[in-house]
mmCIF file of all heavy atoms in Angstrom:
data_model
loop_
_atom_site.group_PDB
_atom_site.id
_atom_site.type_symbol
_atom_site.label_atom_id
_atom_site.label_comp_id
_atom_site.label_asym_id
_atom_site.label_seq_id
_atom_site.Cartn_x
_atom_site.Cartn_y
_atom_site.Cartn_z
ATOM 1 N N LYS A 1 0.866 -1.171 0.000
ATOM 2 C CA LYS A 1 0.000 0.000 0.000
ATOM 3 C C LYS A 1 0.903 1.221 0.000
ATOM 4 O O LYS A 1 2.102 1.106 0.231
ATOM 5 C CB LYS A 1 -0.896 -0.027 1.222
ATOM 6 C CG LYS A 1 -1.746 -1.293 1.279
ATOM 7 C CD LYS A 1 -2.465 -1.445 2.580
ATOM 8 C CE LYS A 1 -3.241 -2.724 2.679
ATOM 9 N NZ LYS A 1 -3.961 -3.185 1.546
ATOM 10 N N ARG A 2 0.335 2.395 -0.235
ATOM 11 C CA ARG A 2 1.173 3.580 -0.130
ATOM 12 C C ARG A 2 0.360 4.816 0.178
ATOM 13 O O ARG A 2 -0.788 4.962 -0.257
ATOM 14 C CB ARG A 2 2.039 3.772 -1.367
ATOM 15 C CG ARG A 2 1.351 4.163 -2.622
ATOM 16 C CD ARG A 2 2.365 4.209 -3.758
ATOM 17 N NE ARG A 2 1.826 4.929 -4.901
ATOM 18 C CZ ARG A 2 2.486 5.156 -6.015
ATOM 19 N NH1 ARG A 2 3.721 4.710 -6.147
ATOM 20 N NH2 ARG A 2 1.950 5.813 -7.005
ATOM 21 N N TYR A 3 0.980 5.677 0.943
ATOM 22 C CA TYR A 3 0.464 7.015 1.168
ATOM 23 C C TYR A 3 1.004 7.870 0.040
ATOM 24 O O TYR A 3 2.175 7.737 -0.339
ATOM 25 C CB TYR A 3 0.951 7.577 2.504
ATOM 26 C CG TYR A 3 0.221 7.049 3.702
ATOM 27 C CD1 TYR A 3 0.732 6.006 4.454
ATOM 28 C CD2 TYR A 3 -0.989 7.618 4.102
ATOM 29 C CE1 TYR A 3 0.066 5.533 5.572
ATOM 30 C CE2 TYR A 3 -1.657 7.154 5.224
ATOM 31 C CZ TYR A 3 -1.127 6.110 5.957
ATOM 32 O OH TYR A 3 -1.790 5.653 7.060
ATOM 33 N N GLU A 4 0.178 8.763 -0.487
ATOM 34 C CA GLU A 4 0.594 9.609 -1.591
ATOM 35 C C GLU A 4 0.324 11.073 -1.292
ATOM 36 O O GLU A 4 -0.686 11.417 -0.671
ATOM 37 C CB GLU A 4 -0.164 9.232 -2.870
ATOM 38 C CG GLU A 4 0.050 7.798 -3.308
ATOM 39 C CD GLU A 4 -0.803 7.391 -4.499
ATOM 40 O OE1 GLU A 4 -1.735 8.144 -4.887
ATOM 41 O OE2 GLU A 4 -0.550 6.298 -5.039
ATOM 42 N N LEU A 5 1.231 11.909 -1.771
ATOM 43 C CA LEU A 5 1.039 13.349 -1.726
ATOM 44 C C LEU A 5 1.114 13.833 -3.170
ATOM 45 O O LEU A 5 2.164 13.729 -3.815
ATOM 46 C CB LEU A 5 2.113 14.019 -0.864
ATOM 47 C CG LEU A 5 1.924 15.506 -0.590
ATOM 48 C CD1 LEU A 5 0.613 15.754 0.164
ATOM 49 C CD2 LEU A 5 3.093 16.054 0.214
ATOM 50 N N HIS A 6 -0.020 14.300 -3.687
ATOM 51 C CA HIS A 6 -0.112 14.758 -5.067
ATOM 52 C C HIS A 6 0.146 16.259 -5.099
ATOM 53 O O HIS A 6 -0.533 17.027 -4.407
ATOM 54 C CB HIS A 6 -1.509 14.463 -5.635
ATOM 55 C CG HIS A 6 -1.817 13.003 -5.718
ATOM 56 N ND1 HIS A 6 -2.068 12.375 -6.910
ATOM 57 C CD2 HIS A 6 -1.895 12.037 -4.759
ATOM 58 C CE1 HIS A 6 -2.297 11.087 -6.686
ATOM 59 N NE2 HIS A 6 -2.196 10.865 -5.379
ATOM 60 N N VAL A 7 1.148 16.665 -5.886
ATOM 61 C CA VAL A 7 1.524 18.072 -5.987
ATOM 62 C C VAL A 7 1.783 18.397 -7.456
ATOM 63 O O VAL A 7 2.692 17.834 -8.071
ATOM 64 C CB VAL A 7 2.805 18.375 -5.162
ATOM 65 C CG1 VAL A 7 3.172 19.846 -5.262
ATOM 66 C CG2 VAL A 7 2.644 17.946 -3.710
ATOM 67 N N ASP A 8 0.992 19.285 -8.019
ATOM 68 C CA ASP A 8 1.182 19.747 -9.398
ATOM 69 C C ASP A 8 1.392 18.601 -10.392
ATOM 70 O O ASP A 8 2.326 18.629 -11.199
ATOM 71 C CB ASP A 8 2.360 20.716 -9.478
ATOM 72 C CG ASP A 8 2.060 22.058 -8.829
ATOM 73 O OD1 ASP A 8 0.875 22.342 -8.602
ATOM 74 O OD2 ASP A 8 3.008 22.798 -8.563
ATOM 75 N N GLY A 9 0.578 17.579 -10.335
ATOM 76 C CA GLY A 9 0.670 16.475 -11.273
ATOM 77 C C GLY A 9 1.747 15.453 -10.958
ATOM 78 O O GLY A 9 1.935 14.501 -11.698
ATOM 79 N N ASN A 10 2.485 15.641 -9.876
ATOM 80 C CA ASN A 10 3.518 14.697 -9.432
ATOM 81 C C ASN A 10 3.040 13.985 -8.171
ATOM 82 O O ASN A 10 2.240 14.534 -7.419
ATOM 83 C CB ASN A 10 4.823 15.433 -9.132
ATOM 84 C CG ASN A 10 5.404 16.081 -10.362
ATOM 85 O OD1 ASN A 10 5.881 15.397 -11.247
ATOM 86 N ND2 ASN A 10 5.345 17.398 -10.423
ATOM 87 N N ILE A 11 3.565 12.782 -7.950
ATOM 88 C CA ILE A 11 3.175 12.014 -6.769
ATOM 89 C C ILE A 11 4.420 11.616 -5.985
ATOM 90 O O ILE A 11 5.291 10.906 -6.484
ATOM 91 C CB ILE A 11 2.398 10.740 -7.148
ATOM 92 C CG1 ILE A 11 1.135 11.100 -7.933
ATOM 93 C CG2 ILE A 11 2.042 9.932 -5.890
ATOM 94 C CD1 ILE A 11 0.390 9.894 -8.486
ATOM 95 N N ALA A 12 4.484 12.096 -4.736
ATOM 96 C CA ALA A 12 5.476 11.618 -3.778
ATOM 97 C C ALA A 12 4.768 10.547 -2.962
ATOM 98 O O ALA A 12 3.556 10.632 -2.731
ATOM 99 C CB ALA A 12 5.948 12.758 -2.883
ATOM 100 N N PHE A 13 5.519 9.520 -2.515
ATOM 101 C CA PHE A 13 4.819 8.452 -1.799
ATOM 102 C C PHE A 13 5.711 7.755 -0.774
ATOM 103 O O PHE A 13 6.928 7.799 -0.857
ATOM 104 C CB PHE A 13 4.243 7.421 -2.776
ATOM 105 C CG PHE A 13 5.267 6.744 -3.648
ATOM 106 C CD1 PHE A 13 5.944 5.608 -3.207
ATOM 107 C CD2 PHE A 13 5.562 7.224 -4.912
ATOM 108 C CE1 PHE A 13 6.882 4.965 -4.004
ATOM 109 C CE2 PHE A 13 6.488 6.591 -5.717
ATOM 110 C CZ PHE A 13 7.155 5.467 -5.263
ATOM 111 N N VAL A 14 5.026 7.107 0.171
ATOM 112 C CA VAL A 14 5.638 6.206 1.145
ATOM 113 C C VAL A 14 4.931 4.868 0.993
ATOM 114 O O VAL A 14 3.715 4.786 1.187
ATOM 115 C CB VAL A 14 5.489 6.710 2.597
ATOM 116 C CG1 VAL A 14 5.999 5.672 3.590
ATOM 117 C CG2 VAL A 14 6.201 8.034 2.798
ATOM 118 N N GLU A 15 5.689 3.833 0.622
ATOM 119 C CA GLU A 15 5.124 2.482 0.519
ATOM 120 C C GLU A 15 5.120 1.845 1.908
ATOM 121 O O GLU A 15 6.043 2.065 2.696
ATOM 122 C CB GLU A 15 5.959 1.613 -0.409
ATOM 123 C CG GLU A 15 5.895 2.021 -1.846
ATOM 124 C CD GLU A 15 6.783 1.170 -2.729
ATOM 125 O OE1 GLU A 15 7.439 0.222 -2.246
ATOM 126 O OE2 GLU A 15 6.827 1.463 -3.930
ATOM 127 N N TYR A 16 4.107 1.036 2.176
ATOM 128 C CA TYR A 16 4.022 0.359 3.473
ATOM 129 C C TYR A 16 3.298 -0.969 3.353
ATOM 130 O O TYR A 16 2.590 -1.231 2.393
ATOM 131 C CB TYR A 16 3.339 1.262 4.505
ATOM 132 C CG TYR A 16 1.847 1.457 4.290
ATOM 133 C CD1 TYR A 16 0.920 0.647 4.955
ATOM 134 C CD2 TYR A 16 1.367 2.447 3.450
ATOM 135 C CE1 TYR A 16 -0.445 0.831 4.771
ATOM 136 C CE2 TYR A 16 0.007 2.632 3.263
ATOM 137 C CZ TYR A 16 -0.887 1.821 3.924
ATOM 138 O OH TYR A 16 -2.240 1.999 3.743
ATOM 139 N N PHE A 17 3.535 -1.783 4.369
ATOM 140 C CA PHE A 17 2.771 -3.012 4.592
ATOM 141 C C PHE A 17 2.093 -2.841 5.939
ATOM 142 O O PHE A 17 2.710 -2.353 6.885
ATOM 143 C CB PHE A 17 3.680 -4.240 4.664
ATOM 144 C CG PHE A 17 4.349 -4.584 3.370
ATOM 145 C CD1 PHE A 17 5.622 -4.110 3.077
ATOM 146 C CD2 PHE A 17 3.718 -5.388 2.439
ATOM 147 C CE1 PHE A 17 6.246 -4.424 1.897
ATOM 148 C CE2 PHE A 17 4.335 -5.705 1.242
ATOM 149 C CZ PHE A 17 5.610 -5.220 0.966
ATOM 150 N N LEU A 18 0.869 -3.245 6.044
ATOM 151 C CA LEU A 18 0.139 -3.173 7.301
ATOM 152 C C LEU A 18 -0.075 -4.589 7.808
ATOM 153 O O LEU A 18 -0.618 -5.431 7.094
ATOM 154 C CB LEU A 18 -1.203 -2.473 7.096
ATOM 155 C CG LEU A 18 -1.998 -2.130 8.334
ATOM 156 C CD1 LEU A 18 -1.225 -1.182 9.246
ATOM 157 C CD2 LEU A 18 -3.321 -1.496 7.939
ATOM 158 N N ILE A 19 0.377 -4.848 9.020
ATOM 159 C CA ILE A 19 0.268 -6.179 9.613
ATOM 160 C C ILE A 19 -0.815 -6.162 10.694
ATOM 161 O O ILE A 19 -0.676 -5.496 11.714
ATOM 162 C CB ILE A 19 1.614 -6.629 10.229
ATOM 163 C CG1 ILE A 19 2.752 -6.514 9.212
ATOM 164 C CG2 ILE A 19 1.508 -8.033 10.807
ATOM 165 C CD1 ILE A 19 2.616 -7.400 7.992
ATOM 166 N N LYS A 20 -1.886 -6.880 10.449
ATOM 167 C CA LYS A 20 -2.979 -7.058 11.412
ATOM 168 C C LYS A 20 -3.493 -5.739 11.992
ATOM 169 O O LYS A 20 -3.896 -5.683 13.149
ATOM 170 C CB LYS A 20 -2.555 -7.982 12.552
ATOM 171 C CG LYS A 20 -2.229 -9.382 12.100
ATOM 172 C CD LYS A 20 -1.861 -10.232 13.291
ATOM 173 C CE LYS A 20 -1.438 -11.617 12.848
ATOM 174 N NZ LYS A 20 -0.990 -12.438 13.945
ATOM 175 N N ASN A 21 -3.480 -4.671 11.216
ATOM 176 C CA ASN A 21 -3.927 -3.350 11.680
ATOM 177 C C ASN A 21 -3.232 -2.896 12.960
ATOM 178 O O ASN A 21 -3.756 -2.068 13.681
ATOM 179 C CB ASN A 21 -5.440 -3.315 11.856
ATOM 180 C CG ASN A 21 -6.151 -3.348 10.529
ATOM 181 O OD1 ASN A 21 -5.621 -2.899 9.522
ATOM 182 N ND2 ASN A 21 -7.342 -3.888 10.512
ATOM 183 N N GLU A 22 -2.049 -3.453 13.225
ATOM 184 C CA GLU A 22 -1.315 -3.083 14.433
ATOM 185 C C GLU A 22 -0.004 -2.395 14.126
ATOM 186 O O GLU A 22 0.438 -1.538 14.871
ATOM 187 C CB GLU A 22 -1.024 -4.329 15.278
ATOM 188 C CG GLU A 22 -2.258 -4.988 15.832
ATOM 189 C CD GLU A 22 -1.943 -6.282 16.553
ATOM 190 O OE1 GLU A 22 -0.765 -6.581 16.779
ATOM 191 O OE2 GLU A 22 -2.900 -6.996 16.884
ATOM 192 N N LYS A 23 0.662 -2.807 13.038
ATOM 193 C CA LYS A 23 1.970 -2.265 12.698
ATOM 194 C C LYS A 23 2.018 -1.915 11.227
ATOM 195 O O LYS A 23 1.653 -2.715 10.369
ATOM 196 C CB LYS A 23 3.088 -3.266 13.004
ATOM 197 C CG LYS A 23 3.345 -3.464 14.460
ATOM 198 C CD LYS A 23 4.606 -4.305 14.669
ATOM 199 C CE LYS A 23 4.833 -4.494 16.137
ATOM 200 N NZ LYS A 23 4.432 -5.767 16.647
ATOM 201 N N ALA A 24 2.526 -0.718 10.947
ATOM 202 C CA ALA A 24 2.763 -0.293 9.570
ATOM 203 C C ALA A 24 4.268 -0.311 9.328
ATOM 204 O O ALA A 24 5.016 0.416 9.988
ATOM 205 C CB ALA A 24 2.204 1.102 9.334
ATOM 206 N N TYR A 25 4.695 -1.157 8.421
ATOM 207 C CA TYR A 25 6.100 -1.234 8.027
ATOM 208 C C TYR A 25 6.298 -0.245 6.879
ATOM 209 O O TYR A 25 5.843 -0.488 5.763
ATOM 210 C CB TYR A 25 6.455 -2.652 7.585
ATOM 211 C CG TYR A 25 6.499 -3.628 8.730
ATOM 212 C CD1 TYR A 25 5.336 -4.085 9.335
ATOM 213 C CD2 TYR A 25 7.716 -4.098 9.209
ATOM 214 C CE1 TYR A 25 5.382 -4.980 10.396
ATOM 215 C CE2 TYR A 25 7.770 -4.998 10.265
ATOM 216 C CZ TYR A 25 6.596 -5.420 10.849
ATOM 217 O OH TYR A 25 6.644 -6.312 11.906
ATOM 218 N N LEU A 26 6.944 0.872 7.175
ATOM 219 C CA LEU A 26 7.178 1.918 6.174
ATOM 220 C C LEU A 26 8.474 1.570 5.458
ATOM 221 O O LEU A 26 9.558 1.674 6.026
ATOM 222 C CB LEU A 26 7.252 3.287 6.855
ATOM 223 C CG LEU A 26 6.027 3.631 7.721
ATOM 224 C CD1 LEU A 26 6.209 4.976 8.398
ATOM 225 C CD2 LEU A 26 4.756 3.607 6.898
ATOM 226 N N VAL A 27 8.365 1.137 4.207
ATOM 227 C CA VAL A 27 9.507 0.511 3.542
ATOM 228 C C VAL A 27 10.224 1.381 2.514
ATOM 229 O O VAL A 27 11.400 1.142 2.221
ATOM 230 C CB VAL A 27 9.115 -0.836 2.896
ATOM 231 C CG1 VAL A 27 8.708 -1.842 3.960
ATOM 232 C CG2 VAL A 27 8.008 -0.661 1.873
ATOM 233 N N HIS A 28 9.559 2.377 1.944
ATOM 234 C CA HIS A 28 10.218 3.154 0.898
ATOM 235 C C HIS A 28 9.526 4.502 0.737
ATOM 236 O O HIS A 28 8.300 4.573 0.707
ATOM 237 C CB HIS A 28 10.164 2.384 -0.427
ATOM 238 C CG HIS A 28 10.750 3.112 -1.586
ATOM 239 N ND1 HIS A 28 12.100 3.357 -1.693
ATOM 240 C CD2 HIS A 28 10.175 3.659 -2.690
ATOM 241 C CE1 HIS A 28 12.325 4.015 -2.824
ATOM 242 N NE2 HIS A 28 11.169 4.210 -3.445
ATOM 243 N N THR A 29 10.337 5.555 0.621
ATOM 244 C CA THR A 29 9.820 6.900 0.348
ATOM 245 C C THR A 29 10.422 7.384 -0.956
ATOM 246 O O THR A 29 11.617 7.200 -1.195
ATOM 247 C CB THR A 29 10.204 7.868 1.489
ATOM 248 O OG1 THR A 29 9.664 7.390 2.716
ATOM 249 C CG2 THR A 29 9.679 9.269 1.231
ATOM 250 N N GLU A 30 9.601 8.005 -1.767
ATOM 251 C CA GLU A 30 10.104 8.546 -3.023
ATOM 252 C C GLU A 30 9.451 9.897 -3.317
ATOM 253 O O GLU A 30 8.236 10.036 -3.209
ATOM 254 C CB GLU A 30 9.812 7.569 -4.159
ATOM 255 C CG GLU A 30 10.536 7.903 -5.428
ATOM 256 C CD GLU A 30 10.491 6.761 -6.418
ATOM 257 O OE1 GLU A 30 10.754 5.604 -6.025
ATOM 258 O OE2 GLU A 30 10.183 7.038 -7.588
ATOM 259 N N VAL A 31 10.308 10.859 -3.675
ATOM 260 C CA VAL A 31 9.848 12.189 -4.058
ATOM 261 C C VAL A 31 10.391 12.461 -5.458
ATOM 262 O O VAL A 31 11.602 12.389 -5.672
ATOM 263 C CB VAL A 31 10.341 13.267 -3.064
ATOM 264 C CG1 VAL A 31 9.925 14.652 -3.528
ATOM 265 C CG2 VAL A 31 9.804 12.993 -1.659
ATOM 266 N N PRO A 32 9.522 12.759 -6.424
ATOM 267 C CA PRO A 32 10.004 13.038 -7.778
ATOM 268 C C PRO A 32 10.968 14.219 -7.801
ATOM 269 O O PRO A 32 10.821 15.166 -7.014
ATOM 270 C CB PRO A 32 8.726 13.383 -8.554
ATOM 271 C CG PRO A 32 7.607 12.843 -7.746
ATOM 272 C CD PRO A 32 8.067 12.868 -6.320
ATOM 273 N N LYS A 33 11.924 14.182 -8.709
ATOM 274 C CA LYS A 33 12.929 15.239 -8.786
ATOM 275 C C LYS A 33 12.288 16.600 -9.048
ATOM 276 O O LYS A 33 12.820 17.623 -8.626
ATOM 277 C CB LYS A 33 13.985 14.922 -9.833
ATOM 278 C CG LYS A 33 13.473 14.873 -11.241
ATOM 279 C CD LYS A 33 14.563 14.544 -12.239
ATOM 280 C CE LYS A 33 13.943 14.478 -13.627
ATOM 281 N NZ LYS A 33 14.881 14.146 -14.638
ATOM 282 N N GLU A 34 11.131 16.612 -9.677
ATOM 283 C CA GLU A 34 10.426 17.878 -9.930
ATOM 284 C C GLU A 34 10.010 18.567 -8.632
ATOM 285 O O GLU A 34 9.756 19.765 -8.621
ATOM 286 C CB GLU A 34 9.174 17.647 -10.789
ATOM 287 C CG GLU A 34 9.455 17.154 -12.181
ATOM 288 C CD GLU A 34 9.624 15.643 -12.283
ATOM 289 O OE1 GLU A 34 9.510 14.930 -11.258
ATOM 290 O OE2 GLU A 34 9.890 15.166 -13.400
ATOM 291 N N LEU A 35 9.933 17.808 -7.552
ATOM 292 C CA LEU A 35 9.504 18.362 -6.261
ATOM 293 C C LEU A 35 10.659 18.525 -5.277
ATOM 294 O O LEU A 35 10.444 18.910 -4.134
ATOM 295 C CB LEU A 35 8.428 17.453 -5.644
ATOM 296 C CG LEU A 35 7.172 17.245 -6.487
ATOM 297 C CD1 LEU A 35 6.231 16.264 -5.787
ATOM 298 C CD2 LEU A 35 6.468 18.559 -6.765
ATOM 299 N N SER A 36 11.875 18.240 -5.726
ATOM 300 C CA SER A 36 13.014 18.316 -4.800
ATOM 301 C C SER A 36 13.229 19.762 -4.354
ATOM 302 O O SER A 36 12.962 20.719 -5.085
ATOM 303 C CB SER A 36 14.280 17.741 -5.435
ATOM 304 O OG SER A 36 14.667 18.535 -6.531
ATOM 305 N N GLY A 37 13.691 19.895 -3.121
ATOM 306 C CA GLY A 37 13.958 21.198 -2.537
ATOM 307 C C GLY A 37 12.738 21.929 -2.019
ATOM 308 O O GLY A 37 12.832 23.072 -1.584
ATOM 309 N N MET A 38 11.592 21.279 -2.050
ATOM 310 C CA MET A 38 10.338 21.916 -1.622
ATOM 311 C C MET A 38 9.841 21.374 -0.277
ATOM 312 O O MET A 38 8.726 21.671 0.126
ATOM 313 C CB MET A 38 9.263 21.706 -2.695
ATOM 314 C CG MET A 38 9.640 22.306 -4.036
ATOM 315 S SD MET A 38 8.480 21.855 -5.355
ATOM 316 C CE MET A 38 6.951 22.505 -4.731
ATOM 317 N N LYS A 39 10.642 20.545 0.378
ATOM 318 C CA LYS A 39 10.283 19.935 1.661
ATOM 319 C C LYS A 39 9.040 19.048 1.561
ATOM 320 O O LYS A 39 8.292 18.870 2.513
ATOM 321 C CB LYS A 39 10.126 20.980 2.751
ATOM 322 C CG LYS A 39 11.406 21.742 2.998
ATOM 323 C CD LYS A 39 11.353 22.569 4.239
ATOM 324 C CE LYS A 39 12.689 23.253 4.391
ATOM 325 N NZ LYS A 39 13.011 23.558 5.736
ATOM 326 N N ILE A 40 8.835 18.462 0.385
ATOM 327 C CA ILE A 40 7.690 17.576 0.165
ATOM 328 C C ILE A 40 7.866 16.282 0.965
ATOM 329 O O ILE A 40 6.906 15.762 1.528
ATOM 330 C CB ILE A 40 7.507 17.280 -1.333
ATOM 331 C CG1 ILE A 40 7.175 18.560 -2.096
ATOM 332 C CG2 ILE A 40 6.461 16.203 -1.560
ATOM 333 C CD1 ILE A 40 5.902 19.257 -1.679
ATOM 334 N N GLY A 41 9.085 15.748 1.022
ATOM 335 C CA GLY A 41 9.349 14.540 1.812
ATOM 336 C C GLY A 41 9.004 14.753 3.268
ATOM 337 O O GLY A 41 8.387 13.904 3.909
ATOM 338 N N PHE A 42 9.390 15.902 3.810
ATOM 339 C CA PHE A 42 9.073 16.255 5.200
ATOM 340 C C PHE A 42 7.562 16.283 5.395
ATOM 341 O O PHE A 42 7.032 15.667 6.319
ATOM 342 C CB PHE A 42 9.693 17.627 5.528
ATOM 343 C CG PHE A 42 9.313 18.155 6.872
ATOM 344 C CD1 PHE A 42 10.125 17.919 7.971
ATOM 345 C CD2 PHE A 42 8.158 18.893 7.054
ATOM 346 C CE1 PHE A 42 9.776 18.413 9.220
ATOM 347 C CE2 PHE A 42 7.801 19.381 8.292
ATOM 348 C CZ PHE A 42 8.617 19.143 9.383
ATOM 349 N N GLU A 43 6.867 17.003 4.522
ATOM 350 C CA GLU A 43 5.411 17.120 4.632
ATOM 351 C C GLU A 43 4.737 15.749 4.541
ATOM 352 O O GLU A 43 3.835 15.437 5.321
ATOM 353 C CB GLU A 43 4.884 18.034 3.530
ATOM 354 C CG GLU A 43 3.381 18.209 3.547
ATOM 355 C CD GLU A 43 2.852 19.062 2.411
ATOM 356 O OE1 GLU A 43 3.641 19.729 1.709
ATOM 357 O OE2 GLU A 43 1.623 19.052 2.214
ATOM 358 N N LEU A 44 5.186 14.948 3.596
ATOM 359 C CA LEU A 44 4.605 13.627 3.392
ATOM 360 C C LEU A 44 4.777 12.735 4.613
ATOM 361 O O LEU A 44 3.808 12.161 5.119
ATOM 362 C CB LEU A 44 5.243 12.968 2.168
ATOM 363 C CG LEU A 44 4.884 11.503 1.903
ATOM 364 C CD1 LEU A 44 3.402 11.334 1.641
ATOM 365 C CD2 LEU A 44 5.705 10.975 0.734
ATOM 366 N N VAL A 45 5.996 12.606 5.105
ATOM 367 C CA VAL A 45 6.249 11.723 6.255
ATOM 368 C C VAL A 45 5.510 12.216 7.490
ATOM 369 O O VAL A 45 4.945 11.420 8.246
ATOM 370 C CB VAL A 45 7.765 11.566 6.508
ATOM 371 C CG1 VAL A 45 8.022 10.824 7.808
ATOM 372 C CG2 VAL A 45 8.404 10.824 5.340
ATOM 373 N N GLN A 46 5.469 13.513 7.689
ATOM 374 C CA GLN A 46 4.728 14.060 8.828
ATOM 375 C C GLN A 46 3.246 13.675 8.743
ATOM 376 O O GLN A 46 2.645 13.235 9.722
ATOM 377 C CB GLN A 46 4.880 15.576 8.873
ATOM 378 C CG GLN A 46 4.258 16.208 10.096
ATOM 379 C CD GLN A 46 4.532 17.697 10.143
ATOM 380 O OE1 GLN A 46 4.525 18.381 9.111
ATOM 381 N NE2 GLN A 46 4.791 18.201 11.321
ATOM 382 N N LYS A 47 2.659 13.803 7.562
ATOM 383 C CA LYS A 47 1.246 13.457 7.388
ATOM 384 C C LYS A 47 1.016 11.949 7.593
ATOM 385 O O LYS A 47 0.022 11.550 8.186
ATOM 386 C CB LYS A 47 0.751 13.887 6.008
ATOM 387 C CG LYS A 47 0.605 15.387 5.846
ATOM 388 C CD LYS A 47 0.142 15.741 4.441
ATOM 389 C CE LYS A 47 -0.006 17.228 4.232
ATOM 390 N NZ LYS A 47 -1.068 17.843 5.003
#
């Protein structure tokens, strides 16, 4: 599964696995280069 932050047609995301609705394994974060330097990764992970 993944959380997504849509910004100006680009998608930053955090992929995760959810185990028994008790633990979320956050396995990968990706921010498109078009959004670099905009603190999108910070905003995404915080959300």
Side-chain angles (χ1 to χ4, degrees):
K1 302 171 183 319
R2 70 184 196 178
Y3 282 97
E4 300 175 349
L5 187 61
H6 296 242
V7 181
D8 289 344
N10 296 290
I11 301 173
F13 60 86
V14 174
E15 291 178 2
Y16 71 95
F17 292 94
L18 189 61
I19 307 297
K20 297 182 184 176
N21 289 332
E22 295 175 9
K23 289 189 180 101
Y25 289 74
L26 305 178
V27 295
H28 177 69
T29 301
E30 192 167 313
V31 176
K33 65 180 178 181
E34 295 85 1
L35 301 177
S36 65
M38 300 172 59
K39 299 192 179 207
I40 296 299
F42 174 94
E43 179 183 348
L44 172 62
V45 172
Q46 186 176 38
K47 289 179 180 293

